[in-house]
Amino acid sequence: MKKKFQTKEEFKTEFERRIIEKYGRSIEQAHKTEKYMVLGEMIRDYVGVNWKETKETVAGNGEKQMYYFSMEFLIGRLLTSNLMNLGIYDIVKEGLQDFHIDINEIEDLESDAGLGNGGLGRLAACFLDSLASLNLVGHGNCIRYEYGLFRQRIENHEQTEYPDMWLKLGNVWEVRKPKHAIEVKFGGHIEMYMDEHGKTKVNHMPEQVIRAVPYDVPVIGRDTKVTNTLRLWSAEAADSVINNDFASYMDDVKAICMNVYPDDSTEKGKLLRIKQEYFFVAAGLAQIIKAHLRVYPSLDNLAEKVCIQLNDTHPVLAIPELMRILMDDYAYEWDDAWNIVTNVISYTNHTVLAEALEKWPISYIQQLLPRVYMIIEEIHRRFEFALDHQYNRPDIKYSVAILKEGQVHMANLAIVGSHHVNGVAGLHTEILKNDVFKSFYEIMPEKFSNKTNGITHRRWLLYSNPQLTHLLDETIGKDYQTHPEQLEKLMAHVDDPMLQAKFMDVKRQRKQILADYIKETLQIEVDVNSIFDVQAKRLHAYKRQLLNVLHIIYLYQKMKKDPNFRIYPRTFIFAAKAAPAYTFAKQVIKLINCIADVVNNDPQIAPYMKVVFIPNYGVSIAEILMNAADVSEQISTAGKEASGTGNMKFMMNGAITLGTLDGANVEIVERVGYENAEIFGLRADDVALLKRENVYSVWNVYNRDPEIKAVVEALIDGTFSPEKEDFRLVYNELMFKNDEYLLLADFDAYKHAQTRVQERYQDKAGWAKMCLINIAKSGFFSSDRTIKQYADEIWNIQPIEVK
Ligand SMILES: *Cc1c(COP(=O)(O)O)cnc(C)c1O
């Protein structure tokens, strides 16, 4: 690999030169942020050559490229990962040291990129890392949001939201490409006319035109020249402002890139969301078409050279938009255009929760995107025709309809317009086939497949847990770093008492790092000898943080009542953001913090139990949280969590899954065995049965079990807050909606699973062995495996070689 700087000395010379040139200051005088910016720019320039060569190789060899369209890319910080992937981390670290600069301090200056909110966005980020590292050409397409989701603080026990100004210092990784700007059109009306060949022509007379300007971020793989692009679109004023008063036009422009997932409870909010979705899809497609036509004479071979993966339904307007481009701009007939579109596009489903399946009022789409809507209507009409005449299934017409009840059903549109539809874990895909999309599966079974999610083992093991990486290198060699399935070699050593002891020492070091962070940010002392029990994920009723909380209340009450009942010391750690408008979720956060206050300050209880809520959960916090856990809480109501990826990060760092048989937990247990996890509770089919037969009654459980009753009453009797009404909503959701997520139905099973956890933890050798088995079996959950499956089975792309 040709390097700009090969040695520490070369790095130092270049670094010093750039600081002086850019800021007119010596290294000693330069501010920390200036050092960070210069280092980032050096790396970006360093990969510039590879970036250009990748583009040339792709064009020259006619390689097929994949584009991952996603509303989110939760990439976190890039400095460490980029330096590590390039293999220059040590050179840079030592070079900086010579200037008395601590690389960790520089690393901490970078903000987490605020380009997403949770698992779906993090998956997209892991995929980018795997694509480049596997020499595959796969790019990201998204919006350049000015502000991230929000910065969470806890004030008076409650979540408060502050703007997440992640671009405050600028973004060193991006390159603005104004000459590749695209005009995106909204509103207005359609004019149709007949051209001289008797062909119908369509003219869209927009009401508003917004310029989409791309910012390109290089995606650097490990030990490879292949450098892909994450393209982030930013909205700016267009030259051709039509029919708009200028100030309100500028407000519209700004709104598009202001925020990820703006509140969509109002009509205005919904229109904005649709606008965002169309904005990055239309711009992304226009750029793909332009690039294709620079290399090839027509779009006839588009599907041989390009494929697009839709990460959930947010980018599904790509289907009618690509139809529009082909027909209106390039004069394709419907059938030819449809053939291209359905060979380019494939769709990943991420949820089975009915309320999370995207639907938009027809009138909104019609108003904002009149031409695109006409095409959706025609797709709908032709699909209904096919149901009558091709599939002979008029009976399922309603359940698979794209347009019904005044709404556009985005998932149905996605399935009709894609060549592949996949779920993200085995159980999830089965539920799609047998339940949520049963009718579709009956008529097009070959479209459906499973691609179990993964995580990049580079970020989540090699880079964020150097202590464990070192131990693994020492024990099984380094091959697993490039072939994560070889972590399996660890199986030969899991009984080795020396290794077990060394592992427990690594874990203790990681726990100490987390304990220091907790002390520093929250002024809470936690005992690294206690069991670190972690639940870190978005706050949502189906994820059942409340079940964890109810169990904590149970332990607290029991220890208060019975001085002879004491648990093995445990630190319950939570981290979670709640959507700003999700009142229940916010009350649960308040409840956790109120319990923490009571428990941590009770001298009888605190030696045995601490409760910690770590604010502002995001990628960088996950990087110090997952690897410090002994227990990984994955306790969603079975059938509700599509896959989960947090579960994989914990497993790979040697934590035990305490979970239900849901999502990818099923596949984790399949690999480690039931004896090396703690599985409890109702299964997906039990849950389905309970709901179908309507036999569950929360009040029966409540009345039957005085301990459960006491726990539930503690929500409203002032035990944790003098304001007795603080948690009334939580109480009501539980007791007056018949415990929709079956917390009390699973309570006993969870309690017993928790008891087994503490028993097993006291056998240190047995525990260490169990953790080592989890690490050994975690290679399957590397996103490298997932991406190879997508590449082979859906995208039909091969690794390339960049000279
Ligand atoms: C991995 C990850 C998630 C997903 O967690 P789940 O437990 O799978 O819901 C969400 N947010 C961040 C910051 C993550 O790193």
Side-chain angles (χ1 to χ4, degrees):
M1 196 191 289
K2 197 169 123 237
K3 292 188 173 172
K4 267 234 165 111
F5 43 88
Q6 308 266 9
T7 64
K8 184 177 83 174
E9 291 312 320
E10 284 170 16
F11 163 73
K12 284 168 61 181
T13 311
E14 170 86 357
F15 184 70
E16 186 160 29
R17 185 180 67 74
R18 287 199 184 213
I19 294 260
I20 295 168
E21 280 178 10
K22 178 155 185 182
Y23 295 106
R25 302 213 225 188
S26 68
I27 290 191
E28 294 74 42
Q29 292 167 326
H31 192 263
K32 267 199 299 202
T33 58
E34 293 170 341
K35 293 170 192 162
Y36 162 72
M37 296 302 281
V38 161
L39 182 58
E41 282 163 18
M42 278 175 75
I43 295 156
R44 202 190 56 221
D45 295 349
Y46 184 107
V47 302
V49 178
N50 292 346
W51 210 1
K52 170 179 142 284
E53 309 238 318
T54 304
K55 289 170 193 164
E56 286 174 4
T57 306
V58 170
N61 300 352
E63 306 284 359
K64 185 173 184 183
Q65 307 183 74
M66 191 280 294
Y67 292 86
Y68 202 75
F69 277 29
S70 178
M71 199 81 177
E72 304 180 35
F73 282 87
L74 202 57
I75 51 185
R77 296 170 172 169
L78 291 178
L79 181 61
T80 316
S81 170
N82 283 345
L83 286 172
M84 291 276 193
N85 276 356
L86 289 167
I88 54 174
Y89 187 85
D90 289 336
I91 289 180
V92 169
K93 178 181 168 180
E94 287 160 21
L96 291 173
Q97 224 156 38
D98 288 355
F99 292 126
H100 309 287
I101 302 167
D102 177 358
I103 193 167
N104 296 322
E105 270 185 44
I106 302 289
E107 288 167 319
D108 281 341
L109 290 177
E110 184 171 2
S111 313
D112 279 28
L115 298 171
N117 95 96
L120 171 151
R122 186 52 234 173
L123 183 77
C126 284
F127 281 3
L128 289 184
D129 186 67
S130 286
L131 281 158
S133 298
L134 294 168
N135 298 310
L136 294 164
V137 188
H139 311 289
N141 190 62
C142 186
I143 296 174
R144 183 176 179 273
Y145 302 102
E146 285 289 323
Y147 296 90
L149 188 65
F150 59 84
R151 197 158 48 86
Q152 180 196 54
R153 285 210 217 151
I154 302 299
E155 292 173 350
N156 297 321
H157 305 114
E158 286 177 51
Q159 165 174 304
T160 45
E161 297 109 28
Y162 289 84
D164 168 25
M165 296 188 280
W166 73 286
L167 286 169
K168 203 165 40 188
L169 294 180
N171 175 7
V172 273
W173 308 112
E174 68 189 12
V175 185
R176 180 181 149 92
K177 299 268 174 77
K179 77 167 206 255
H180 293 304
I182 303 285
E183 301 215 315
V184 181
K185 298 169 182 166
F186 295 100
H189 65 277
I190 302 301
E191 289 173 356
M192 295 232 200
Y193 62 95
M194 202 88 86
D195 73 0
E196 62 270 30
H197 311 291
K199 213 169 143 36
T200 308
K201 289 291 208 180
V202 180
N203 234 349
H204 178 194
M205 312 298 284
E207 181 189 311
Q208 187 171 72
V209 181
I210 289 178
R211 184 199 298 281
V213 180
Y215 288 69
D216 286 358
V217 177
V219 180
I220 297 163
R222 170 140 169 152
D223 291 331
T224 173
K225 284 187 168 184
V226 172
T227 306
N228 294 321
T229 302
L230 169 57
R231 180 155 276 195
L232 304 173
W233 294 97
S234 187
E236 295 186 11
D239 292 333
S240 45
V241 181
I242 312 165
N243 284 344
N244 275 126
D245 127 57
F246 186 68
S248 84
Y249 172 72
M250 287 314 293
D251 286 345
D252 284 2
V253 170
K254 282 204 200 92
I256 291 186
C257 295
M258 189 72 86
N259 230 253
V260 59
Y261 299 127
D263 172 32
D264 69 347
S265 56
T266 61
E267 169 172 353
K268 200 158 167 257
K270 287 190 178 66
L271 288 168
L272 177 57
R273 284 275 276 272
I274 300 167
K275 232 170 159 176
Q276 286 188 319
E277 295 185 354
Y278 182 69
F279 173 77
F280 87 99
V281 159
L285 279 172
Q287 176 263 324
I288 290 169
I289 300 286
K290 271 207 225 168
H292 184 87
L293 291 175
R294 275 201 292 271
V295 183
Y296 305 100
S298 82
L299 296 173
D300 292 355
N301 66 341
L302 188 70
E304 288 159 41
K305 300 301 177 187
V306 166
C307 58
I308 296 174
Q309 187 70 35
L310 307 179
N311 195 27
D312 214 326
T313 54
H314 317 119
V316 77
L317 292 171
I319 291 167
E321 172 64 8
L322 186 52
M323 285 299 285
R324 188 197 65 74
I325 294 172
L326 291 167
M327 294 190 304
D328 296 357
D329 298 348
Y330 295 94
Y332 281 84
E333 297 294 336
W334 181 280
D335 289 336
D336 297 328
W338 186 245
N339 191 37
I340 293 174
V341 169
T342 51
N343 279 298
V344 165
I345 297 201
S346 44
Y347 155 62
T348 303
N349 172 280
H350 282 271
T351 182
V352 299
L353 299 181
E355 69 273 21
L357 286 173
E358 245 191 331
K359 302 175 199 77
W360 297 114
I362 285 175
S363 59
Y364 295 1
I365 305 245
Q366 214 167 8
Q367 167 193 343
L368 262 183
L369 309 165
R371 177 57 180 153
V372 163
Y373 179 71
M374 285 171 73
I375 293 169
I376 294 174
E377 222 171 30
E378 183 63 11
I379 295 172
H380 169 83
R381 195 187 67 75
R382 288 179 184 240
F383 185 53
E384 294 225 306
F385 186 85
L387 288 166
D388 282 330
H389 298 99
Q390 182 189 337
Y391 299 111
N392 294 316
R393 288 297 304 272
D395 60 304
I396 60 171
K397 244 191 219 168
Y398 186 78
S399 83
V400 298
I402 296 169
L403 302 176
K404 55 183 166 187
E405 293 155 359
Q407 295 194 301
V408 184
H409 290 247
M410 306 301 251
N412 293 357
L413 176 58
I415 298 172
V416 174
S418 294
H419 56 93
H420 280 81
V421 175
N422 73 284
V424 290
L427 174 67
H428 169 60
T429 302
E430 287 310 305
I431 293 173
L432 292 184
K433 295 196 294 195
N434 302 325
D435 181 6
V436 185
F437 299 132
K438 186 168 185 285
S439 302
F440 276 112
Y441 181 63
E442 284 168 7
I443 54 171
M444 37 185 80
E446 68 293 337
K447 261 195 196 181
F448 287 78
S449 73
N450 177 245
K451 302 286 171 281
T452 299
N453 281 170
I455 55 168
T456 168
H457 63 286
R458 287 168 289 276
R459 178 178 293 260
W460 294 108
L461 172 59
L462 306 182
Y463 307 159
S464 54
N465 194 347
Q467 296 82 356
L468 181 55
T469 301
H470 180 73
L471 181 60
L472 291 170
D473 289 354
E474 206 178 73
T475 312
I476 56 172
K478 288 186 166 192
D479 286 355
Y480 77 93
Q481 296 201 0
T482 34
H483 302 282
E485 66 283 357
Q486 292 197 19
L487 281 167
E488 185 89 30
K489 284 187 195 156
L490 198 59
M491 286 306 286
H493 306 273
V494 297
D495 285 306
D496 174 2
M498 270 288 280
L499 179 66
Q500 292 169 355
K502 283 182 179 169
F503 170 76
M504 291 306 271
D505 187 52
V506 163
K507 185 59 85 178
R508 199 196 42 73
Q509 290 179 46
R510 294 307 318 185
K511 287 165 82 169
Q512 189 62 56
I513 291 169
L514 179 61
D516 292 345
Y517 180 79
I518 291 170
K519 175 87 178 109
E520 194 182 289
T521 49
L522 300 166
Q523 291 77 49
I524 299 174
E525 302 262 6
V526 299
D527 175 6
V528 292
N529 298 308
S530 67
I531 302 172
F532 276 23
D533 178 319
V534 182
Q535 189 169 17
K537 47 183 76 245
R538 286 303 296 269
L539 212 135
H540 205 289
Y542 85 84
K543 290 177 182 280
R544 300 202 293 189
Q545 280 93 349
L546 185 58
L547 175 58
N548 190 345
V549 169
L550 294 178
H551 176 251
I552 292 170
I553 296 176
Y554 158 80
L555 292 176
Y556 172 76
Q557 289 181 333
K558 190 149 167 154
M559 284 196 279
K560 287 304 278 182
K561 213 164 119 189
D562 177 359
N564 294 316
F565 174 81
R566 286 297 176 261
I567 58 169
Y568 189 89
R570 176 101 64 140
T571 305
F572 291 100
I573 301 169
F574 293 87
K577 284 181 181 172
Y582 191 174
T583 321
F584 168 81
K586 291 176 104 170
Q587 279 204 7
V588 172
I589 289 177
K590 180 168 187 183
L591 178 59
I592 294 168
N593 284 296
C594 286
I595 293 175
D597 237 14
V598 171
V599 166
N600 300 348
N601 295 307
D602 185 327
Q604 286 178 309
I605 305 300
Y608 301 95
M609 186 158 101
K610 287 261 168 81
V611 177
V612 178
F613 185 94
I614 298 181
N616 204 32
Y617 183 52
V619 174
S620 291
I621 286 177
E623 285 171 10
I624 58 167
L625 200 47
M626 309 307 213
N627 55 36
D630 297 305
V631 177
S632 157
E633 297 261 4
Q634 307 299 335
I635 59 177
S636 51
T637 314
K640 301 286 185 201
E641 185 75 88
S643 163
T645 48
N647 46 6
M648 302 167 186
K649 299 167 198 164
F650 282 107
M651 175 200 196
M652 201 174 269
N653 286 281
I656 305 309
T657 304
L658 166 59
T660 48
L661 277 182
D662 199 14
N665 298 353
V666 175
E667 287 155 81
I668 290 176
V669 194
E670 233 167 68
R671 280 169 179 80
V672 302
Y674 278 85
E675 67 283 12
N676 296 305
E678 200 57 68
I679 298 302
F680 72 94
L682 296 167
R683 303 176 179 214
D685 47 2
D686 303 326
V687 170
L689 189 74
L690 272 189
K691 300 272 173 187
R692 200 167 48 238
E693 309 270 306
N694 199 14
V695 287
Y696 176 69
S697 156
V698 69
W699 289 105
N700 283 349
V701 182
Y702 173 96
N703 288 319
R704 196 174 57 219
D705 186 334
E707 284 179 342
I708 288 182
K709 184 174 177 177
V711 167
V712 172
E713 287 308 309
L715 296 173
I716 49 165
D717 69 2
T719 310
F720 299 109
S721 169
E723 296 300 323
K724 288 190 183 180
E725 294 305 305
D726 274 0
F727 311 116
R728 175 67 67 179
L729 179 74
V730 175
Y731 181 92
N732 288 351
E733 285 288 315
L734 193 64
M735 301 311 295
F736 295 111
K737 290 197 177 160
N738 199 28
D739 189 8
E740 187 180 349
Y741 295 98
L742 299 168
L743 282 67
L744 299 193
D746 271 341
F747 186 84
D748 260 348
Y750 180 61
K751 185 175 91 184
H752 288 120
Q754 283 285 26
T755 309
R756 280 194 299 276
V757 164
Q758 76 163 7
E759 283 163 4
R760 296 172 80 175
Y761 190 77
Q762 291 170 68
D763 165 16
K764 285 291 147 64
W767 184 269
K769 176 179 173 179
M770 190 155 67
C771 297
L772 289 166
I773 292 171
N774 271 270
I775 297 166
K777 300 288 183 182
S778 69
F780 176 81
F781 298 103
S782 165
S783 46
D784 288 7
R785 186 268 313 151
T786 315
I787 283 297
K788 281 183 197 153
Q789 290 179 326
Y790 277 96
D792 293 344
E793 297 162 26
I794 298 183
W795 302 330
N796 191 23
I797 56 171
Q798 278 88 42
I800 67 158
E801 198 187 330
V802 176
K803 294 270 162 22

